Amino acid sequence: MNRQKSFENEKPTLYLVPTPIGNLSEMSPRAIEILKSVNVIACEDTRTSGQMLKHFGIHNRLIAYQNFNEDPSARGIINLLSQGQNVALISDAGYPLINDPGQRVVTEATALGYNVVPVSGCSAFLNALVASGLIVQPFIFIGFLPQSDNERNKKLREYRSYPMTLVFYEAPHRIAKCLKSCLDIFGDRRCCLARELTKVHEEFLRGTISEVLEACEGLKGEMVIIIDGNHEDFHKDIDYGTLMMMVNDQISQGMSKSDAVKKVAGETGISRRKLYEMVHSIEN
Ligand code: SAM
């Protein structure tokens, strides 16, 4: 086990610093203060981030951290931490790691016992989810779907029986194809397309998938899709995989098995006894 008291030790620190997803006035004073204080800032693109940082009067050393080059990028940051330097990781927008680079270095830095300290801020999916009008909890963040039709449909079929609200990122030129696949596989569920969040053209299209599909023609900008979970089939046609995932999720967050079963039974309407039996049968 490794236990981190973030502000009670002198260890080198990797800060995870979110940056605005479109509106620069959402940069927090704490984020600016930390970015000014660190020895090095790791970013996806030194030119893109350089301009944003200049806007806030931040002129620290920048290095590139890239997904396609994640091994050497992570090693470079670990090397800086091992020399006693503090590093901040940012992405082009929003939170690093959320469909952006950073997973490798955070896994390694935490395993090696360095401080990894998150700074609060924005991620596009959170803005979209809370304003979607759909049930927020439980939700599952999926991010980008595969680009090939076959692979995308295969993934969507995996999520078809999930009762939780589904959250996707999608590029504008693929939005119609993606919604069409969702309509074919999920049926005409409630959905919300949120685009250009926090920017002047911010827009929410709330309706059924077919309504949003009809209206999305020609829409541009950055987009998040929120789709209602499966509230119908779920109880009739019990999906063991999803139920076990929900129970395990609660247990991994520190809940006892019996409390986890109780909570999931409450959320899904499945009888508590039946759910106990299912958990028990999988364990034996
Ligand atoms: N790290 C980012 C985050 O925390 O949200 C996500 C990076 S991912 C490479 C970029 C995708 O996020 C876009 O294609 C879009 O789906 C979504 N996104 C980013 N900014 C957005 C915005 N202002 N409005 C809507 N979606 C946005």
Side-chain angles (χ1 to χ4, degrees):
M1 195 193 86
N2 114 22
R3 192 165 167 180
Q4 170 186 316
K5 286 262 193 183
S6 297
F7 307 109
E8 291 179 25
N9 68 68
E10 301 289 314
K11 286 184 195 167
T13 297
L14 172 64
Y15 293 97
L16 305 175
V17 182
T19 55
I21 57 166
N23 185 331
L24 285 179
S25 60
E26 291 194 339
M27 187 78 161
S28 77
R30 183 173 180 230
I32 296 173
E33 185 192 317
I34 285 173
L35 289 172
K36 282 185 174 169
S37 77
V38 293
N39 303 97
V40 177
I41 299 172
C43 58
E44 289 181 79
D45 182 310
T46 51
R47 260 182 304 177
T48 310
S49 291
Q51 280 174 5
M52 187 269 299
L53 294 169
K54 209 164 120 196
H55 176 88
F56 295 107
I58 300 163
H59 303 287
N60 300 29
R61 182 179 156 214
L62 289 181
I63 59 168
Y65 185 104
Q66 286 146 342
N67 247 350
F68 61 85
N69 214 6
E70 205 161 355
D71 267 348
S73 294
R75 270 202 304 278
I77 294 180
I78 297 293
N79 200 21
L80 290 167
L81 294 169
S82 74
Q83 292 164 17
Q85 306 212 27
N86 293 322
V87 181
L89 177 66
I90 62 174
S91 64
D92 284 352
Y95 253 111
L97 277 80
I98 303 294
N99 266 128
D100 268 334
Q103 182 64 70
R104 184 72 48 86
V105 70
V106 169
T107 304
E108 288 184 22
T110 49
L112 291 168
Y114 292 111
N115 282 338
V116 176
V117 173
V119 174
S120 306
C122 176
S123 195
F125 80 86
L126 276 177
N127 287 40
L129 179 64
V130 295
S132 66
L134 299 177
I135 300 294
V136 166
Q137 279 144 203
F139 75 89
I140 176 165
F141 173 68
I142 292 154
F144 289 104
L145 287 162
Q147 294 186 18
S148 96
D149 291 354
N150 272 347
E151 289 301 308
R152 184 178 57 245
N153 291 348
K154 197 168 139 203
K155 271 274 162 237
L156 289 175
R157 276 193 288 273
E158 280 175 29
Y159 301 127
R160 180 165 45 195
S161 59
Y162 283 26
M164 51 288 248
T165 300
L166 307 164
V167 183
F168 303 100
Y169 281 166
E170 192 49 284
H173 61 280
R174 282 195 296 269
I175 196 79
K177 260 190 166 186
C178 176
L179 286 172
K180 175 78 176 62
S181 295
C182 290
L183 181 61
D184 292 344
I185 291 165
F186 298 150
D188 207 6
R189 294 190 196 169
R190 288 191 306 153
C191 118
C192 172
L193 190 161
R195 72 176 190 101
E196 294 291 85
L197 290 159
T198 76
K199 305 182 197 176
V200 283
H201 296 298
E202 175 176 288
E203 185 180 21
F204 292 88
L205 286 82
R206 304 180 180 100
T208 60
I209 298 178
S210 62
E211 287 168 342
V212 175
L213 176 61
E214 206 179 305
C216 77
E217 185 69 36
L219 289 183
K220 294 198 167 54
E222 299 192 279
M223 299 177 173
V224 183
I225 308 173
I226 315 282
I227 295 186
D228 215 2
N230 183 345
H231 305 301
E232 287 175 8
D233 294 353
F234 192 58
H235 310 301
K236 285 185 254 149
D237 170 24
I238 301 166
D239 178 329
Y240 283 72
T242 307
L243 278 173
M244 290 309 108
M245 201 179 77
M246 291 171 78
V247 172
N248 285 336
D249 200 36
Q250 297 303 329
I251 293 172
S252 68
Q253 286 175 43
M255 219 177 241
S256 70
K257 198 194 314 171
S258 62
D259 283 345
V261 165
K262 199 164 144 189
K263 184 160 193 281
V264 173
E267 280 170 0
T268 59
I270 298 266
S271 99
R272 211 186 297 176
R273 188 181 51 78
K274 198 166 180 180
L275 193 52
Y276 262 124
E277 282 169 10
M278 285 163 67
V279 172
H280 193 67
S281 70
I282 279 186
E283 284 172 347
N284 292 301

